[in-house]
Amino acid sequence: MQLTSIVIPTYNKLPLLQQAVAAIRTYTRMDETPYEIVVADNGSQDGTVEWCRQEGLRFVALPYNAGFPVACNKGMRMASGDFFLLLNNDVTVTNNWLPNLHRALASDSRIGIVGPVSNFVSGKQQVECSFRTMEEFQQLAASVNVPDSRKWEETERLVGFCLLFSRAFYQQIGELDECFSPGHYEDDDLCFRARKMGYRLLFCRDVLIHHIGSASFKNQDTAGLQELLQRNRKLFMEKWQIDPHIYI
Amino acid sequence: MATLAKKQPGARHISPGKKSTVRSSSGSMPSRIRGSRGGSSAASGPAGTASRKRRRGSTGTALRSQGGWYKRGKLSKAAFRAAYALGQASARELKQEQQEGGRQQLLKNGSQISQTMNAAFSKSRAGRRDASFSAILREGAAFRNGFMDAWGEGLAMTPYVLLPLRGTAAAVVTVCNEEDSIRQVLHELKLLPLTDIIVVINGCTDHSFKYTMEFEGVTVIHEPEALGLDVGRALGAKLTKADTVLFVDGDFPVSAWQLAPFLLAVDQGVDVALNDVTPYLGAFKYWDAVSRVKQFLNCSLDRPDLVTNSMTCIPHALSRRALDTIGESTLAVPPKAQAAALAAPLKVQASASINVFMKNRRRNQNVGSGNPVARLIIGDHIEALKSIQRKQGSRLSFADRVRRRSQAGG
């Protein structure tokens, strides 16, 4: 069975990371989908690194906040798995999440990347959920995450909060473009490159996971965030002469 | 052997023209900063009379066999003063820019100081004919002294080694329970103009991790299980995109001054800059099996001049081209990397001579003939030779011009 490397870039917000790792450990079975966790720490100052060491996790501690794409890339270079699962630190995974994603990825050799649906994400992957507590959400997800290939949908863009692809794909398409540092639109860029090379992208309605959303970027002032989004969107357009918004 | 043990950090350097007061100390006092044994004159203070005096008293056998790669480049007093003056001028220019631009505190931390000075030094040497490494180092020291003198307040004297590198340079350090030496190792690396220092902490149960995290600007890879030196190096190499990658071990501090030639060599076109251990080997009849097989590999691939020098030994440095050709994964088996480099062929040569034999810790596994570590290394060499033989034929560099092998069926 092939190993999945779950790469989690993180910047402060240790409680979120702890929850993310705890959920992975609870809802991922080593015998079903062998995995390893690789944390890419962007110079956190809140004890993240010490906690990772105590937990015996593999990680790379960068000396300063190098942004999302750089951290992901370094994590992937460290990873030893045959598959990469990029996961944000504010994501809580659910029952059956990884086997269902793998099933979708393996269903066709032309599929490059697969992603889940979630309560909070931009674009087509957003679904309506009603729940009050995380326990309720997990119960909801358990009922939703029943493997069903009819629930898979083709798409032109997947959000970078949870992406699964193979090492072969990574070797052909390459890593995330670091020009988008500190973040945003590197996922659009990766998806665009994948489709240019003839790969298909799927998102799975039978994989519902929880996402808080923009945990790192919300801290910045809204004006700063808007400026970053505009700058990166412009970078994408300069690179490809296409507006990434047409794919959302 | 000259050491900086007597100098306190923050003490003023010695102005040009004055005789140095740093004397050779007895070899038995371990230097906090200059932990290396043998090798070149270790001080990074002003050049000129002082260093020439120290060199006569030094014990480094390496100096006797310097060969061509480390010429005793003398720096004339005039050149020294010129470099010093350039340093001062640079500092004044930068200070003025800072004041005019209203920028706050240009030089806030060690990395910024080092980078700024190095950039200024590289600029001042731009377009100049390459001198010997030794002259470049001494010029850099003079420039640094001038710069720090002119900058004045707030800049503690730190013996940064300035190098006019055209590309970027990184260092990879593998550490497995080396709390006693890791701080010294990292202290020395911080004196070099490196963009990345990658420390691979693997299987450490002591304070190595804690001590490493105390240094700023260091990328730390944490592996809960011990990987071994070679795999650690391969992993560290994967995490950097620098043009030059220097490999050192966490248990043997080598002074920045001694590591500099590796960086300079690769920056100037060498693909694999090795450490020359030939002066420390002794007579062939006393060599161990590992040394013999290393020499055999080098001879088989037409490089008898390298003797036993190979990537199995640190420190060594690789160019980006070498890393792309050999592949980071192959670094995990150094004899294979060596064979790949020689067969490519890449530009492989010895760039410095540091005595690393003193440091190898005697463990149960690596003493005595036929010990497991030796068998593993010899086995790797045999595999490396086999893989090259498949491509280049079984004779490699030992062409048979006597027998008609085709008639004999082989």
Side-chain angles (χ1 to χ4, degrees):
Chain A
M1 254 181 300
Q2 296 186 305
L3 185 73
T4 306
S5 294
I6 303 175
V7 177
I8 310 177
T10 188
Y11 176 59
N12 291 331
K13 298 286 194 295
L14 176 60
L16 286 180
L17 178 68
Q18 289 168 327
Q19 188 178 37
V21 171
I24 293 171
R25 286 171 168 166
T26 311
Y27 293 107
T28 323
R29 280 172 38 200
M30 205 52 102
D31 53 347
E32 195 179 18
T33 44
Y35 68 94
E36 66 168 0
I37 298 178
V38 177
V39 176
D41 177 67
N42 259 325
S44 300
Q45 305 286 324
D46 64 348
T48 295
V49 163
E50 285 68 33
W51 179 79
C52 288
R53 175 158 163 81
Q54 278 161 29
E55 292 291 309
L57 291 172
R58 295 186 67 206
F59 63 85
V60 53
L62 299 174
Y64 57 88
N65 189 349
F68 182 84
V70 171
C72 282
N73 289 342
K74 299 234 186 233
M76 287 196 284
R77 281 169 179 234
M78 252 187 88
S80 51
D82 310 289
F83 294 94
F84 297 115
L85 191 307
L86 300 183
L87 196 72
N88 279 14
N89 63 354
D90 57 353
V91 168
T92 305
V93 301
T94 51
N95 199 32
N96 265 342
W97 71 292
L98 195 52
N100 286 4
L101 283 174
H102 269 293
R103 211 168 280 121
L105 186 63
S107 64
D108 182 0
S109 60
R110 292 318 299 166
I111 296 174
I113 321 177
V114 299
V117 292
S118 175
N119 61 309
F120 184 85
V121 64
S122 75
K124 299 180 191 167
Q125 290 166 277
Q126 164 109 1
V127 292
E128 288 302 315
C129 321
S130 63
F131 62 97
R132 280 165 302 179
T133 61
M134 190 53 88
E135 287 73 35
E136 278 188 28
F137 185 85
Q138 290 290 353
Q139 281 165 16
L140 172 63
S143 64
V144 167
N145 292 359
V146 174
D148 186 350
S149 57
R150 292 166 299 177
K151 292 187 179 176
W152 302 336
E153 259 184 61
E154 187 114 12
T155 182
E156 288 168 322
R157 173 247 194 188
L158 290 168
V159 177
F161 77 135
C162 180
L163 296 172
L164 176 68
F165 47 88
S166 69
R167 184 177 282 274
F169 171 88
Y170 165 77
Q171 277 164 351
Q172 190 187 6
I173 301 296
E175 41 185 32
L176 298 179
D177 193 339
E178 295 174 4
C179 79
F180 294 103
S181 296
H184 291 296
Y185 291 102
E186 64 282 316
D187 41 4
D188 298 69
D189 177 78
L190 182 73
C191 293
F192 187 81
R193 279 188 275 141
R195 285 190 305 109
K196 268 185 73 119
M197 292 298 288
Y199 283 101
R200 296 167 55 206
L201 311 176
L202 290 186
F203 70 94
C204 308
R205 291 189 186 280
D206 60 346
V207 181
L208 172 67
I209 62 175
H210 186 274
H211 181 218
I212 296 176
S214 287
S216 294
F217 290 105
K218 259 180 189 159
N219 280 340
Q220 293 177 16
D221 53 308
T222 326
L225 178 59
Q226 286 308 315
E227 203 184 302
L228 173 63
L229 289 169
Q230 268 177 19
R231 166 193 168 260
N232 281 4
R233 182 179 167 196
K234 196 157 157 261
L235 273 173
F236 186 104
M237 292 198 285
E238 278 168 8
K239 199 174 165 188
W240 301 116
Q241 280 80 53
I242 287 182
D243 183 355
H245 283 202
I246 64 176
Y247 300 123
I248 295 178
Chain B
M1 173 169 59
T3 68
L4 283 185
K6 291 190 168 68
K7 257 196 182 178
Q8 302 304 318
R12 302 307 297 159
H13 78 280
I14 297 146
S15 312
K18 286 202 192 133
K19 287 207 174 146
S20 168
T21 54
V22 179
R23 290 182 292 278
S24 301
S25 69
S26 70
S28 60
M29 175 172 8
S31 158
R32 261 198 82 239
I33 297 172
R34 302 269 176 252
S36 54
R37 293 164 176 79
S40 64
S41 58
S44 55
T49 47
S51 58
R52 252 176 268 141
K53 274 203 175 140
R54 277 195 294 278
R55 247 190 266 133
R56 249 178 259 134
S58 63
T59 58
T61 47
L63 289 171
R64 280 187 241 126
S65 64
Q66 278 174 17
W69 50 259
Y70 196 76
K71 293 190 287 263
R72 252 177 236 219
K74 296 190 168 93
L75 199 69
S76 63
K77 274 194 189 163
F80 179 88
R81 287 205 189 101
Y84 183 86
L86 274 172
Q88 287 181 307
S90 262
R92 288 190 197 112
E93 203 182 297
L94 273 164
K95 255 208 154 165
Q96 202 172 7
E97 263 177 41
Q98 183 190 288
Q99 277 162 2
E100 282 169 6
R103 263 180 299 173
Q104 301 261 342
Q105 257 205 306
L106 184 62
L107 303 184
K108 273 181 288 194
N109 58 36
S111 311
Q112 270 192 324
I113 297 171
S114 166
Q115 273 168 32
T116 313
M117 275 202 290
N118 209 71
F121 178 59
S122 299
K123 206 168 110 183
S124 77
R125 285 204 88 248
R128 281 176 50 189
R129 200 172 49 87
D130 285 336
S132 73
F133 289 172
S134 155
I136 293 175
L137 285 171
R138 286 177 169 78
E139 244 190 70
F143 185 96
R144 177 202 68 221
N145 291 346
F147 189 101
M148 289 184 137
D149 261 354
W151 192 272
E153 88 310 300
L155 213 55
M157 174 59 184
T158 316
Y160 292 113
V161 174
L162 304 187
L163 300 172
L165 300 177
R166 282 170 288 199
T168 50
V172 171
V173 191
T174 41
V175 179
C176 184
N177 289 327
E178 311 291 0
E179 61 180 358
D180 293 328
S181 48
I182 186 61
R183 280 187 286 200
Q184 270 178 277
V185 172
L186 291 176
H187 173 89
E188 290 300 328
L189 288 176
K190 292 289 283 175
L191 298 176
L192 291 167
L194 300 169
T195 49
D196 262 329
I197 299 176
I198 297 167
V199 184
V200 185
I201 305 263
N202 62 109
C204 288
T205 49
D206 64 357
H207 294 298
S208 304
F209 178 75
K210 180 170 144 229
Y211 292 162
T212 306
M213 293 299 290
E214 286 165 7
F215 286 83
E216 51 154 22
V218 169
T219 301
V220 180
I221 299 178
H222 175 265
E223 294 283 344
E225 323 237 317
L227 299 174
L229 293 170
D230 309 324
V231 175
R233 274 176 226 154
L235 182 56
K238 281 176 100 172
L239 276 252
T240 176
K241 298 185 203 167
D243 302 312
T244 303
V245 183
L246 173 69
F247 296 91
V248 295
D249 277 345
D251 62 349
F252 188 51
V254 180
S255 72
W257 193 259
Q258 286 185 296
L259 290 173
F262 294 102
L263 299 178
L264 284 169
V266 175
D267 194 67
Q268 289 179 8
V270 172
D271 286 310
V272 181
L274 296 174
N275 185 29
D276 183 18
V277 296
T278 316
Y280 316 111
L281 284 173
F284 180 80
K285 66 177 181 178
Y286 297 122
W287 289 12
D288 64 348
V290 170
S291 300
R292 289 173 200 219
V293 79
K294 284 188 206 175
Q295 189 197 36
F296 184 67
L297 181 84
N298 287 336
C299 288
S300 304
L301 294 169
D302 224 5
R303 290 297 305 269
D305 61 302
L306 289 176
V307 195
T308 65
N309 299 334
S310 114
M311 278 190 258
T312 41
C313 176
I314 58 95
H316 61 264
L318 299 181
S319 67
R320 180 48 45 188
R321 189 165 137 228
L323 284 163
D324 289 341
T325 310
I326 299 171
E328 283 101 352
S329 327
T330 314
L331 295 180
V333 186
K336 284 197 177 160
Q338 175 83 356
L342 294 178
L346 294 170
K347 194 169 173 194
V348 181
Q349 68 189 46
S351 302
S353 183
I354 300 167
N355 186 355
V356 293
F357 290 126
M358 312 279 278
K359 68 114 176 179
N360 285 330
R361 279 187 282 180
R362 296 190 159 272
R363 300 174 226 239
N364 286 339
Q365 289 241 301
N366 67 0
V367 292
S369 61
N371 66 75
V373 173
R375 283 207 301 272
L376 181 69
I377 300 177
I378 293 169
D380 286 342
H381 278 85
I382 294 174
E383 274 183 41
L385 279 167
K386 272 197 196 152
S387 68
I388 306 292
Q389 280 174 317
R390 270 181 232 124
K391 293 180 221 158
Q392 294 187 5
S394 58
R395 297 293 298 181
L396 294 176
S397 72
F398 300 109
D400 186 354
R401 298 183 219 287
V402 174
R403 286 171 284 184
R404 291 184 199 170
R405 298 179 86 88
S406 53
Q407 306 268 347

